[in-house]
Amino acid sequence: MTAVLGGCGVTGDTDDVTLRLVAADYGDSKATSSRKYWDKLTEAYEAEHPGVTVDVEVYSWNEVDAKVKEMVAAGEAPDLAQIGAYADYAAKDLLYPADDLLSIPVQADLVPQLAEAGQVDGVQYGLPFASSTRLLFYNKTLFQQAGLSAPRTWKELASAAAALKARGVKYPYALPLGPEEAQAETMQWLLSGGGGYTDPQLGTYSIDSPENVGTFTWLRDNLVGKGLTGPVPPGELNRADAFTAFTQGDVGMLNGHPSLMQTAEKKGVEFGMVPMPGLDGPTKFSMGVADWMMAFKQNDHAEQIGTFLNFVYDEKNVLDFSRRYDLLPVTTSASHVMSGAKEDADLKPFLEQLPSSELYPVGRTSWATVSADVKKSIGATVTSGGSPATVLARLQTTANRLDAAE
């Protein structure tokens, strides 16, 4: 965490403005901290915009959302926050809409489905800042030893997992449904089974749909029930632990995002990546994830915030951040550069998934609570004797109640 700054607002000369930005840290050490990115970017911005200073506070993902919530509750909202969710603040009319901040070319350059995910009631408040998609990672060495090829269907995945188990692989398929990020693994499987958290036609939650119940019934009976998901019960296995086990060569297959590539390569794990298998072939829709930038109205700095954000979303700055952290760019122009650049070849499979990706229903103020509920209880669907229909119905009831209260 960087030093907490003393305040924000007008400083020095009456025309001078200090913007306060609270940002999440994408690094895993002091050497890779996002602080370095923001220091470089704000120095360049301030050189071009005398009279405007940008003070940045960087917090870990474990605390940044809570920090912003505390600031807002205390009446000390930052000018900008780069965090995980925006809908609650938009619903309380605390944020500037994108139309008030971004130039038309910059706004038009945002990847369409990411920009759309930033809308509440048709107005964009959340600006996508970083994105990623998911692919199925598999350990090439373990697959070659077992004479396997990458799976394309659920049946092939289960068959491969059984073959890996027979050879003593600790986690034939790692299924992290623990409280850290169970909502992600859940969504990936829901999409692969033809379902999802919401009904795209009706725009309502569809957590207990027949497709979703069928997906978790299949997982319970064909993977977990046959001992193909490893020694830790899925409801207790967190994503970070699953990733660590993969980099140690103990996992045959798991869903992963781009940053896993770098970690696995450092550990010398040879891996392949394919779209998530589905019922009859590769999943048509992958899971996309976005983190968000938002601008608070409290300090009345719309003009300065706008010039700063137009700078943030310049192609070179978007590319710099994306390449630092193996993430996908949130602008079409930067995506085009990455898709054709040799240095970004390892990210191309993830980029190819982005146009057909679906994101969490982040525009709903209910999503934060629904997501937390999924993290707590989804693991119970695949336990011995567990009832996917019962668990998903309870989640649906909660989601309906929250939606009705909005």
Side-chain angles (χ1 to χ4, degrees):
M1 184 186 78
T2 63
V4 176
L5 300 161
C8 60
V10 178
T11 61
D13 191 287
T14 55
D15 292 327
D16 289 350
V17 168
T18 296
L19 298 179
R20 184 186 184 197
L21 165 63
V22 177
D25 197 346
Y26 289 80
D28 55 11
S29 67
K30 186 175 181 180
T32 61
S33 173
S34 297
R35 159 56 60 185
K36 291 191 173 183
Y37 171 80
W38 287 113
D39 282 349
K40 176 183 175 183
L41 184 142
T42 55
E43 181 180 359
Y45 170 78
E46 290 169 1
E48 294 183 12
H49 298 82
V52 181
T53 302
V54 183
D55 285 339
V56 183
E57 303 169 40
V58 178
Y59 296 92
S60 76
W61 272 111
N62 292 331
E63 58 182 344
V64 67
D65 288 271
K67 288 288 185 182
V68 173
K69 187 175 182 179
E70 291 170 5
M71 294 172 188
V72 173
E76 300 174 353
D79 295 285
L80 293 147
Q82 186 271 298
I83 52 178
Y86 66 86
D88 280 352
Y89 302 121
K92 296 174 183 175
D93 195 29
L94 300 177
L95 304 179
Y96 287 112
D99 287 347
D100 290 357
L101 304 170
L102 300 182
S103 68
I104 292 174
V106 169
Q107 196 169 359
D109 194 30
L110 295 174
V111 173
Q113 69 266 42
L114 299 179
E116 185 177 345
Q119 296 180 0
V120 175
D121 295 330
V123 178
Q124 184 180 359
Y125 296 96
L127 309 180
F129 181 76
S131 68
S132 69
T133 56
R134 300 291 192 267
L135 291 171
L136 182 76
F137 283 66
Y138 64 96
N139 185 307
K140 280 188 174 181
T141 302
L142 297 178
F143 266 61
Q144 289 167 358
Q145 290 172 350
L148 299 170
S149 57
R152 294 167 50 85
T153 66
W154 285 2
K155 184 177 180 180
E156 291 175 2
L157 186 149
S159 178
L164 293 168
K165 180 185 179 183
R167 295 186 63 85
V169 175
K170 190 173 182 180
Y171 293 90
Y173 178 86
L175 183 65
L177 296 178
E180 179 194 357
E181 206 190 27
Q183 85 285 358
E185 184 74 11
T186 295
M187 184 169 177
Q188 189 80 338
W189 277 99
L190 296 183
L191 291 173
S192 73
Y197 284 120
T198 58
D199 185 316
Q201 303 300 322
L202 300 176
T204 56
Y205 281 107
S206 57
I207 299 172
D208 64 347
S209 70
E211 292 85 359
N212 293 346
V213 172
T215 293
F216 275 92
T217 301
W218 187 90
L219 282 170
R220 181 196 64 191
D221 297 343
N222 294 279
L223 286 186
V224 182
K226 294 183 178 179
L228 302 179
T229 54
V232 180
E236 299 174 17
L237 181 65
N238 283 326
R239 181 197 61 174
D241 295 328
F243 278 18
T244 297
F246 185 80
T247 63
Q248 294 171 343
D250 291 333
V251 174
M253 299 170 280
L254 85 171
N255 284 315
H257 52 60
S259 66
L260 180 58
M261 295 188 299
Q262 190 177 73
T263 311
E265 286 169 355
K266 286 180 180 178
K267 295 289 187 177
V269 175
E270 291 190 25
F271 60 89
M273 302 178 298
V274 294
M276 176 67 180
L279 278 168
D280 304 311
T283 303
K284 294 179 181 179
F285 299 101
S286 65
M287 187 187 80
V289 177
D291 301 323
W292 302 96
M293 179 74 78
M294 62 213 70
F296 287 88
K297 297 191 291 186
Q298 180 177 320
N299 300 313
D300 197 25
H301 289 157
E303 180 181 351
Q304 294 81 9
I305 291 171
T307 61
F308 179 66
L309 288 177
N310 285 320
F311 187 82
V312 167
Y313 286 95
D314 182 82
E315 182 182 293
K316 67 178 184 298
N317 294 324
V318 173
L319 284 170
D320 183 12
F321 183 83
S322 300
R323 286 167 170 163
R324 279 176 187 252
Y325 298 108
D326 278 334
L327 291 166
L328 304 184
V330 297
T331 62
T332 302
S333 59
S335 296
H336 285 162
V337 172
M338 266 197 165
S339 63
K342 289 184 178 180
E343 65 181 290
D344 302 312
D346 56 349
L347 284 171
K348 192 170 182 179
F350 294 94
L351 277 168
E352 290 172 345
Q353 294 284 302
L354 191 56
S356 62
S357 65
E358 291 195 15
L359 282 76
Y360 300 128
V362 289
R364 296 170 178 268
T365 58
S366 57
W367 170 242
T369 302
V370 172
S371 175
D373 207 9
V374 169
K375 292 178 182 181
K376 291 177 185 176
S377 57
I378 199 67
T381 60
V382 296
T383 59
S384 177
S387 171
T390 300
V391 174
L392 296 179
R394 190 186 64 76
L395 288 168
Q396 179 71 36
T397 298
T398 300
N400 288 343
R401 175 175 52 78
L402 292 167
D403 258 6
E406 286 188 11

